[in-house]
Structures are given as C-alpha cells and as structure tokens.
mmCIF file of all heavy atoms in Angstrom:
data_model
loop_
_atom_site.group_PDB
_atom_site.id
_atom_site.type_symbol
_atom_site.label_atom_id
_atom_site.label_comp_id
_atom_site.label_asym_id
_atom_site.label_seq_id
_atom_site.Cartn_x
_atom_site.Cartn_y
_atom_site.Cartn_z
ATOM 1 N N HIS D 182 -3.010 -13.353 -14.846
ATOM 2 C CA HIS D 182 -3.658 -12.554 -13.731
ATOM 3 C C HIS D 182 -2.704 -12.547 -12.573
ATOM 4 O O HIS D 182 -2.030 -13.422 -12.293
ATOM 5 C CB HIS D 182 -5.017 -13.343 -13.252
ATOM 6 C CG HIS D 182 -5.839 -12.466 -12.535
ATOM 7 N ND1 HIS D 182 -5.606 -12.172 -11.205
ATOM 8 C CD2 HIS D 182 -7.085 -11.806 -12.858
ATOM 9 C CE1 HIS D 182 -6.586 -11.346 -10.800
ATOM 10 N NE2 HIS D 182 -7.483 -11.202 -11.811
ATOM 11 N N LEU D 183 -2.676 -11.289 -12.055
ATOM 12 C CA LEU D 183 -1.646 -11.015 -10.968
ATOM 13 C C LEU D 183 -2.094 -11.638 -9.566
ATOM 14 O O LEU D 183 -1.363 -11.314 -8.627
ATOM 15 C CB LEU D 183 -1.383 -9.550 -10.800
ATOM 16 C CG LEU D 183 -0.654 -8.828 -11.975
ATOM 17 C CD1 LEU D 183 -0.374 -7.469 -11.667
ATOM 18 C CD2 LEU D 183 0.569 -9.556 -12.274
ATOM 19 N N VAL D 184 -3.146 -12.399 -9.583
ATOM 20 C CA VAL D 184 -3.441 -13.034 -8.279
ATOM 21 C C VAL D 184 -2.286 -14.050 -7.871
ATOM 22 O O VAL D 184 -2.024 -14.177 -6.673
ATOM 23 C CB VAL D 184 -4.741 -13.786 -8.370
ATOM 24 C CG1 VAL D 184 -4.981 -14.672 -7.167
ATOM 25 C CG2 VAL D 184 -5.977 -12.743 -8.390
ATOM 26 N N THR D 185 -1.624 -14.639 -8.838
ATOM 27 C CA THR D 185 -0.584 -15.603 -8.526
ATOM 28 C C THR D 185 0.630 -15.214 -9.272
ATOM 29 O O THR D 185 0.933 -15.995 -10.307
ATOM 30 C CB THR D 185 -1.032 -17.002 -8.881
ATOM 31 O OG1 THR D 185 -1.460 -17.120 -10.178
ATOM 32 C CG2 THR D 185 -2.177 -17.468 -7.859
ATOM 33 N N PRO D 186 1.275 -14.188 -9.028
ATOM 34 C CA PRO D 186 2.436 -13.657 -9.890
ATOM 35 C C PRO D 186 3.635 -14.513 -9.487
ATOM 36 O O PRO D 186 3.620 -15.226 -8.445
ATOM 37 C CB PRO D 186 2.659 -12.221 -9.388
ATOM 38 C CG PRO D 186 2.181 -12.233 -7.979
ATOM 39 C CD PRO D 186 0.942 -13.161 -7.978
ATOM 40 N N PRO D 187 4.603 -14.563 -10.434
ATOM 41 C CA PRO D 187 5.826 -15.392 -10.196
ATOM 42 C C PRO D 187 6.763 -14.804 -9.123
ATOM 43 O O PRO D 187 7.579 -15.640 -8.600
ATOM 44 C CB PRO D 187 6.446 -15.424 -11.575
ATOM 45 C CG PRO D 187 5.990 -14.109 -12.257
ATOM 46 C CD PRO D 187 4.632 -13.862 -11.689
ATOM 47 N N ARG D 188 6.634 -13.554 -8.824
ATOM 48 C CA ARG D 188 7.630 -13.034 -7.774
ATOM 49 C C ARG D 188 7.062 -11.696 -7.202
ATOM 50 O O ARG D 188 6.291 -11.040 -7.800
ATOM 51 C CB ARG D 188 8.984 -12.735 -8.584
ATOM 52 C CG ARG D 188 10.052 -12.355 -7.577
ATOM 53 C CD ARG D 188 11.329 -12.083 -8.279
ATOM 54 N NE ARG D 188 11.301 -10.792 -8.945
ATOM 55 C CZ ARG D 188 12.296 -10.243 -9.623
ATOM 56 N NH1 ARG D 188 13.441 -11.070 -9.898
ATOM 57 N NH2 ARG D 188 12.297 -9.176 -10.262
ATOM 58 N N ARG D 189 7.304 -11.475 -6.035
ATOM 59 C CA ARG D 189 7.094 -10.152 -5.338
ATOM 60 C C ARG D 189 5.731 -9.832 -4.976
ATOM 61 O O ARG D 189 5.460 -9.121 -4.116
ATOM 62 C CB ARG D 189 7.751 -9.030 -6.056
ATOM 63 C CG ARG D 189 9.257 -9.179 -6.200
ATOM 64 C CD ARG D 189 10.023 -7.915 -6.650
ATOM 65 N NE ARG D 189 9.817 -6.895 -5.609
ATOM 66 C CZ ARG D 189 10.385 -5.657 -5.711
ATOM 67 N NH1 ARG D 189 11.047 -5.388 -6.762
ATOM 68 N NH2 ARG D 189 10.155 -4.799 -4.815
ATOM 69 N N VAL D 190 4.699 -10.304 -5.763
ATOM 70 C CA VAL D 190 3.349 -9.956 -5.484
ATOM 71 C C VAL D 190 2.559 -11.228 -5.108
ATOM 72 O O VAL D 190 2.697 -12.202 -5.783
ATOM 73 C CB VAL D 190 2.612 -9.273 -6.651
ATOM 74 C CG1 VAL D 190 1.211 -8.901 -6.317
ATOM 75 C CG2 VAL D 190 3.392 -7.965 -7.041
ATOM 76 N N ARG D 191 1.791 -11.103 -4.096
ATOM 77 C CA ARG D 191 0.826 -12.222 -3.672
ATOM 78 C C ARG D 191 -0.479 -11.504 -3.237
ATOM 79 O O ARG D 191 -0.466 -10.392 -2.816
ATOM 80 C CB ARG D 191 1.433 -13.044 -2.680
ATOM 81 C CG ARG D 191 1.765 -12.425 -1.363
ATOM 82 C CD ARG D 191 2.556 -13.286 -0.461
ATOM 83 N NE ARG D 191 3.068 -12.547 0.683
ATOM 84 C CZ ARG D 191 2.332 -12.191 1.753
ATOM 85 N NH1 ARG D 191 1.097 -12.509 1.822
ATOM 86 N NH2 ARG D 191 2.923 -11.507 2.779
ATOM 87 N N PHE D 192 -1.494 -12.304 -3.287
ATOM 88 C CA PHE D 192 -2.749 -11.753 -2.864
ATOM 89 C C PHE D 192 -3.252 -12.736 -1.664
ATOM 90 O O PHE D 192 -3.833 -13.775 -1.967
ATOM 91 C CB PHE D 192 -3.882 -11.797 -4.012
ATOM 92 C CG PHE D 192 -3.607 -10.903 -5.130
ATOM 93 C CD1 PHE D 192 -2.648 -11.224 -6.101
ATOM 94 C CD2 PHE D 192 -4.209 -9.640 -5.093
ATOM 95 C CE1 PHE D 192 -2.435 -10.464 -7.127
ATOM 96 C CE2 PHE D 192 -3.880 -8.725 -6.088
ATOM 97 C CZ PHE D 192 -2.971 -9.092 -7.120
ATOM 98 N N PRO D 193 -2.980 -12.325 -0.436
ATOM 99 C CA PRO D 193 -3.393 -13.207 0.718
ATOM 100 C C PRO D 193 -4.873 -13.358 0.686
ATOM 101 O O PRO D 193 -5.658 -12.620 0.278
ATOM 102 C CB PRO D 193 -2.940 -12.343 1.908
ATOM 103 C CG PRO D 193 -1.962 -11.396 1.321
ATOM 104 C CD PRO D 193 -2.330 -11.111 -0.045
ATOM 105 N N THR D 194 -5.240 -14.477 1.204
ATOM 106 C CA THR D 194 -6.708 -14.880 1.247
ATOM 107 C C THR D 194 -7.287 -14.576 2.567
ATOM 108 O O THR D 194 -8.492 -14.705 2.749
ATOM 109 C CB THR D 194 -6.907 -16.413 0.871
ATOM 110 O OG1 THR D 194 -6.156 -17.086 1.831
ATOM 111 C CG2 THR D 194 -6.424 -16.653 -0.541
ATOM 112 N N ARG D 195 -6.486 -14.257 3.581
ATOM 113 C CA ARG D 195 -7.041 -14.027 4.959
ATOM 114 C C ARG D 195 -6.747 -12.587 5.381
ATOM 115 O O ARG D 195 -5.594 -12.158 5.317
ATOM 116 C CB ARG D 195 -6.404 -15.062 5.952
ATOM 117 C CG ARG D 195 -7.069 -14.916 7.399
ATOM 118 C CD ARG D 195 -6.415 -15.958 8.252
ATOM 119 N NE ARG D 195 -6.543 -17.341 7.708
ATOM 120 C CZ ARG D 195 -7.622 -18.071 7.940
ATOM 121 N NH1 ARG D 195 -8.588 -17.609 8.658
ATOM 122 N NH2 ARG D 195 -7.610 -19.275 7.400
ATOM 123 N N LEU D 196 -7.718 -11.949 5.821
ATOM 124 C CA LEU D 196 -7.566 -10.473 6.394
ATOM 125 C C LEU D 196 -7.346 -10.577 7.941
ATOM 126 O O LEU D 196 -8.225 -11.168 8.561
ATOM 127 C CB LEU D 196 -8.801 -9.682 6.085
ATOM 128 C CG LEU D 196 -8.747 -8.206 6.576
ATOM 129 C CD1 LEU D 196 -7.551 -7.450 5.798
ATOM 130 C CD2 LEU D 196 -10.016 -7.535 6.268
ATOM 131 N N THR D 197 -6.248 -10.085 8.347
ATOM 132 C CA THR D 197 -5.968 -9.984 9.794
ATOM 133 C C THR D 197 -6.578 -8.805 10.440
ATOM 134 O O THR D 197 -6.861 -7.784 9.823
ATOM 135 C CB THR D 197 -4.520 -10.023 10.023
ATOM 136 O OG1 THR D 197 -3.916 -8.855 9.649
ATOM 137 C CG2 THR D 197 -3.819 -11.240 9.326
ATOM 138 N N LEU D 198 -6.634 -8.923 11.834
ATOM 139 C CA LEU D 198 -7.216 -7.804 12.589
ATOM 140 C C LEU D 198 -6.371 -6.558 12.413
ATOM 141 O O LEU D 198 -6.832 -5.476 12.208
ATOM 142 C CB LEU D 198 -7.273 -8.169 14.119
ATOM 143 C CG LEU D 198 -7.744 -6.991 15.006
ATOM 144 C CD1 LEU D 198 -9.201 -6.601 14.624
ATOM 145 C CD2 LEU D 198 -7.723 -7.447 16.422
ATOM 146 N N ALA D 199 -5.031 -6.812 12.276
ATOM 147 C CA ALA D 199 -4.041 -5.658 12.151
ATOM 148 C C ALA D 199 -4.394 -4.957 10.828
ATOM 149 O O ALA D 199 -4.338 -3.675 10.794
ATOM 150 C CB ALA D 199 -2.691 -6.129 12.157
ATOM 151 N N VAL D 200 -4.696 -5.713 9.776
ATOM 152 C CA VAL D 200 -4.896 -5.036 8.403
ATOM 153 C C VAL D 200 -6.251 -4.262 8.560
ATOM 154 O O VAL D 200 -6.280 -3.125 8.046
ATOM 155 C CB VAL D 200 -5.014 -6.133 7.366
ATOM 156 C CG1 VAL D 200 -5.722 -5.606 6.095
ATOM 157 C CG2 VAL D 200 -3.737 -6.720 7.004
ATOM 158 N N THR D 201 -7.177 -4.789 9.258
ATOM 159 C CA THR D 201 -8.435 -4.058 9.319
ATOM 160 C C THR D 201 -8.203 -2.720 10.058
ATOM 161 O O THR D 201 -8.753 -1.677 9.750
ATOM 162 C CB THR D 201 -9.483 -4.917 10.122
ATOM 163 O OG1 THR D 201 -9.690 -6.060 9.404
ATOM 164 C CG2 THR D 201 -10.759 -4.100 10.266
ATOM 165 N N LEU D 202 -7.439 -2.715 11.105
ATOM 166 C CA LEU D 202 -7.116 -1.583 11.772
ATOM 167 C C LEU D 202 -6.336 -0.499 11.076
ATOM 168 O O LEU D 202 -6.460 0.647 11.240
ATOM 169 C CB LEU D 202 -6.321 -1.864 13.112
ATOM 170 C CG LEU D 202 -7.142 -2.732 14.126
ATOM 171 C CD1 LEU D 202 -6.193 -3.072 15.301
ATOM 172 C CD2 LEU D 202 -8.310 -1.869 14.653
ATOM 173 N N VAL D 203 -5.598 -0.968 10.063
ATOM 174 C CA VAL D 203 -4.816 -0.088 9.211
ATOM 175 C C VAL D 203 -5.748 0.848 8.435
ATOM 176 O O VAL D 203 -5.708 2.033 8.404
ATOM 177 C CB VAL D 203 -3.937 -0.787 8.229
ATOM 178 C CG1 VAL D 203 -3.496 0.109 7.155
ATOM 179 C CG2 VAL D 203 -2.748 -1.468 8.964
ATOM 180 N N VAL D 204 -6.905 0.189 7.870
ATOM 181 C CA VAL D 204 -7.829 0.929 7.109
ATOM 182 C C VAL D 204 -8.664 1.815 8.070
ATOM 183 O O VAL D 204 -8.945 2.960 7.782
ATOM 184 C CB VAL D 204 -8.662 0.061 6.228
ATOM 185 C CG1 VAL D 204 -9.710 0.824 5.538
ATOM 186 C CG2 VAL D 204 -7.757 -0.567 5.183
ATOM 187 N N ALA D 205 -9.235 1.147 9.070
ATOM 188 C CA ALA D 205 -10.166 1.831 9.907
ATOM 189 C C ALA D 205 -9.499 2.924 10.690
ATOM 190 O O ALA D 205 -10.135 3.998 10.975
ATOM 191 C CB ALA D 205 -10.828 0.808 10.944
ATOM 192 N N GLY D 206 -8.238 2.800 11.111
ATOM 193 C CA GLY D 206 -7.597 3.847 11.844
ATOM 194 C C GLY D 206 -6.860 4.775 11.007
ATOM 195 O O GLY D 206 -6.973 5.956 11.119
ATOM 196 N N THR D 207 -6.001 4.316 10.127
ATOM 197 C CA THR D 207 -5.051 5.160 9.307
ATOM 198 C C THR D 207 -5.910 6.104 8.447
ATOM 199 O O THR D 207 -5.655 7.276 8.441
ATOM 200 C CB THR D 207 -4.118 4.289 8.495
ATOM 201 O OG1 THR D 207 -3.414 3.510 9.322
ATOM 202 C CG2 THR D 207 -3.191 5.239 7.744
ATOM 203 N N LEU D 208 -6.819 5.551 7.720
ATOM 204 C CA LEU D 208 -7.603 6.357 6.778
ATOM 205 C C LEU D 208 -8.597 7.366 7.585
ATOM 206 O O LEU D 208 -8.940 8.405 7.004
ATOM 207 C CB LEU D 208 -8.455 5.519 5.882
ATOM 208 C CG LEU D 208 -7.607 4.775 4.833
ATOM 209 C CD1 LEU D 208 -8.566 3.908 3.947
ATOM 210 C CD2 LEU D 208 -6.694 5.551 4.116
ATOM 211 N N ALA D 209 -8.926 6.929 8.763
ATOM 212 C CA ALA D 209 -9.822 7.838 9.509
ATOM 213 C C ALA D 209 -9.150 9.146 9.874
ATOM 214 O O ALA D 209 -9.812 10.171 10.122
ATOM 215 C CB ALA D 209 -10.375 7.147 10.730
ATOM 216 N N GLY D 210 -7.860 9.118 10.120
ATOM 217 C CA GLY D 210 -7.154 10.290 10.511
ATOM 218 C C GLY D 210 -6.408 10.993 9.441
ATOM 219 O O GLY D 210 -5.445 11.783 9.673
ATOM 220 N N ILE D 211 -6.808 10.838 8.210
ATOM 221 C CA ILE D 211 -6.197 11.491 7.064
ATOM 222 C C ILE D 211 -6.217 12.871 7.051
ATOM 223 O O ILE D 211 -7.182 13.534 7.261
ATOM 224 C CB ILE D 211 -6.693 10.843 5.734
ATOM 225 C CG1 ILE D 211 -6.014 9.522 5.583
ATOM 226 C CG2 ILE D 211 -6.322 11.661 4.490
ATOM 227 C CD1 ILE D 211 -6.675 8.666 4.451
ATOM 228 N N GLY D 212 -5.074 13.626 6.750
ATOM 229 C CA GLY D 212 -5.030 14.960 6.653
ATOM 230 C C GLY D 212 -4.900 15.457 5.250
ATOM 231 O O GLY D 212 -5.165 14.727 4.315
ATOM 232 N N GLY D 213 -4.414 16.705 5.032
ATOM 233 C CA GLY D 213 -4.318 17.162 3.687
ATOM 234 C C GLY D 213 -3.125 16.760 3.058
ATOM 235 O O GLY D 213 -2.178 16.143 3.625
ATOM 236 N N VAL D 214 -2.950 17.075 1.694
ATOM 237 C CA VAL D 214 -1.807 16.786 0.988
ATOM 238 C C VAL D 214 -0.656 17.747 1.330
ATOM 239 O O VAL D 214 -0.892 18.986 1.479
ATOM 240 C CB VAL D 214 -2.050 16.925 -0.534
ATOM 241 C CG1 VAL D 214 -0.800 16.678 -1.331
ATOM 242 C CG2 VAL D 214 -3.161 15.922 -0.907
ATOM 243 N N ILE D 215 0.573 17.237 1.506
ATOM 244 C CA ILE D 215 1.722 18.154 1.745
ATOM 245 C C ILE D 215 2.510 18.141 0.476
ATOM 246 O O ILE D 215 3.000 17.165 0.065
ATOM 247 C CB ILE D 215 2.582 17.556 2.933
ATOM 248 C CG1 ILE D 215 1.649 17.452 4.186
ATOM 249 C CG2 ILE D 215 3.718 18.460 3.170
ATOM 250 C CD1 ILE D 215 2.360 16.686 5.358
ATOM 251 N N VAL D 216 2.656 19.331 -0.090
ATOM 252 C CA VAL D 216 3.361 19.481 -1.309
ATOM 253 C C VAL D 216 4.595 20.277 -1.073
ATOM 254 O O VAL D 216 4.509 21.403 -0.598
ATOM 255 C CB VAL D 216 2.472 20.133 -2.358
ATOM 256 C CG1 VAL D 216 3.314 20.328 -3.610
ATOM 257 C CG2 VAL D 216 1.226 19.426 -2.573
ATOM 258 N N SER D 217 5.760 19.752 -1.394
ATOM 259 C CA SER D 217 6.982 20.502 -1.171
ATOM 260 C C SER D 217 7.697 20.788 -2.456
ATOM 261 O O SER D 217 7.529 20.125 -3.444
ATOM 262 C CB SER D 217 8.000 19.531 -0.253
ATOM 263 O OG SER D 217 7.462 19.214 0.909
ATOM 264 N N VAL D 218 8.343 21.884 -2.480
ATOM 265 C CA VAL D 218 9.115 22.296 -3.653
ATOM 266 C C VAL D 218 10.557 21.832 -3.545
ATOM 267 O O VAL D 218 11.283 22.303 -2.632
ATOM 268 C CB VAL D 218 9.082 23.837 -3.877
ATOM 269 C CG1 VAL D 218 9.763 24.288 -5.041
ATOM 270 C CG2 VAL D 218 7.574 24.337 -3.885
ATOM 271 N N ALA D 219 10.850 20.942 -4.399
ATOM 272 C CA ALA D 219 12.198 20.381 -4.332
ATOM 273 C C ALA D 219 13.110 21.049 -5.381
ATOM 274 O O ALA D 219 12.610 21.745 -6.310
ATOM 275 C CB ALA D 219 12.221 18.897 -4.660
ATOM 276 N N ALA D 220 14.296 20.840 -5.287
ATOM 277 C CA ALA D 220 15.303 21.393 -6.289
ATOM 278 C C ALA D 220 14.995 20.795 -7.639
ATOM 279 O O ALA D 220 14.394 19.687 -7.799
ATOM 280 C CB ALA D 220 16.716 20.977 -5.944
ATOM 281 N N ALA D 221 15.260 21.592 -8.673
ATOM 282 C CA ALA D 221 14.856 21.230 -10.078
ATOM 283 C C ALA D 221 15.388 19.873 -10.549
ATOM 284 O O ALA D 221 14.796 19.199 -11.266
ATOM 285 C CB ALA D 221 15.281 22.309 -10.991
ATOM 286 N N HIS D 222 16.563 19.497 -9.988
ATOM 287 C CA HIS D 222 17.143 18.255 -10.384
ATOM 288 C C HIS D 222 16.648 17.052 -9.636
ATOM 289 O O HIS D 222 16.999 15.827 -9.926
ATOM 290 C CB HIS D 222 18.719 18.329 -10.182
ATOM 291 C CG HIS D 222 19.145 18.469 -8.799
ATOM 292 N ND1 HIS D 222 19.148 19.779 -8.165
ATOM 293 C CD2 HIS D 222 19.509 17.513 -7.950
ATOM 294 C CE1 HIS D 222 19.632 19.561 -6.941
ATOM 295 N NE2 HIS D 222 19.743 18.280 -6.807
ATOM 296 N N ALA D 223 15.892 17.240 -8.521
ATOM 297 C CA ALA D 223 15.525 16.132 -7.773
ATOM 298 C C ALA D 223 14.300 15.324 -8.404
ATOM 299 O O ALA D 223 13.474 15.927 -9.083
ATOM 300 C CB ALA D 223 15.013 16.606 -6.310
ATOM 301 N N ALA D 224 14.397 13.934 -8.233
ATOM 302 C CA ALA D 224 13.415 13.170 -8.819
ATOM 303 C C ALA D 224 12.068 13.291 -7.987
ATOM 304 O O ALA D 224 12.144 13.426 -6.739
ATOM 305 C CB ALA D 224 13.838 11.688 -8.810
ATOM 306 N N PRO D 225 10.941 13.215 -8.574
ATOM 307 C CA PRO D 225 9.671 13.356 -7.845
ATOM 308 C C PRO D 225 9.594 12.182 -6.852
ATOM 309 O O PRO D 225 10.044 11.089 -7.152
ATOM 310 C CB PRO D 225 8.676 13.294 -8.904
ATOM 311 C CG PRO D 225 9.341 13.585 -10.209
ATOM 312 C CD PRO D 225 10.750 13.042 -9.983
#
C-alpha cells in the first residue's frame, strides 16, 4: 500500500491551515482549460 512507500511518497496525517486554503481558495477560482498548439515534435 502506498501509504508508507519506500521513497518519494508519504501520506501526512495532519492537515495544516495552509493546505486547507489551497483547496478552498485555489479551486474556488478555477477557470477554463487553456489548450495550446505546440510543434509536432514537442512532448505533451
């Protein structure tokens, strides 16, 4: 289970006020999708 991975990923057990504001603020002001046309050789 990835709750306790060996490297790079962890699942914190405490939610900080800053984290709450990320969802409450950032998602509240979401706009539309911006789709750009890149050169054919560019990676997505």
Side-chain angles (χ1 to χ4, degrees):
H182 196 286
L183 289 187
V184 168
T185 54
R188 191 179 73 178
R189 297 192 65 174
V190 178
R191 56 186 172 83
F192 293 84
T194 59
R195 186 179 302 274
L196 179 65
T197 65
L198 176 61
V200 166
T201 300
L202 292 175
V203 167
V204 176
T207 303
L208 293 183
I211 281 172
V214 178
I215 302 171
V216 180
S217 301
V218 179
H222 63 277

